[in-house]
Amino acid sequence: MSFFGEFFWFLLWSFYFIAYLYVVIVIITDLFRDHKLNGWLKALWIIALIFVPFLTALVYIIARGKGMAERATAARGPMISEADDYRPAASSSPADDIAQAKALLDAGTISQGEYEALKSKALGNQYFGA
């Protein structure tokens, strides 16, 4: 077998070994995350992972896969939408919004059309409770 063939097989087996180690680490992490499973069953799963590793990992993922996802989601905590971080601050009143828009118009920052749009938005917000 050539050098490149041996190198290819080495890379392939290295990938499989690292992937297997990742699966074992995920399974052990999930075992310790599960508070409903008692200590004896956790020890039994770990012993099985040591003596029959591939079959045990496969059975564990098939039998407890849904619970693994739920426990991982619970461990991450509640998700907050990114949009919540960028909400503009609520204005104090429509009159303040119109005054700010007028100041921008007078400074030449916005056009007359943009001023009218901001003004109508501020007045619309007053009536719709936004």
Side-chain angles (χ1 to χ4, degrees), residues 33 69-81:
R33 216 179 252 160
E70 292 169 355
R71 285 184 290 277
T73 302
R76 276 189 238 120
M79 299 297 286
I80 298 173
S81 172

Side-chain angles (χ1 to χ4, degrees), residues 24 38 53 71-72:
V24 169
N38 69 30
R71 285 184 290 277

Side-chain angles (χ1 to χ4, degrees), residues 23-44:
V23 169
V24 169
I25 290 170
V26 168
I27 289 172
I28 291 172
T29 303
D30 183 65
L31 278 170
F32 286 106
R33 216 179 252 160
D34 189 1
H35 299 295
K36 295 177 185 173
L37 198 63
N38 69 30
W40 289 107
L41 288 175
K42 290 178 185 181
L44 187 66

Side-chain angles (χ1 to χ4, degrees), residues 65-108:
K66 184 178 179 184
M68 288 175 72
E70 292 169 355
R71 285 184 290 277
T73 302
R76 276 189 238 120
M79 299 297 286
I80 298 173
S81 172
E82 287 185 25
D84 291 344
D85 296 337
Y86 302 107
R87 277 193 211 149
S91 63
S92 55
S93 71
D96 291 341
D97 290 344
I98 294 170
Q100 289 175 353
K102 180 67 174 157
L104 291 172
L105 176 66
D106 292 341

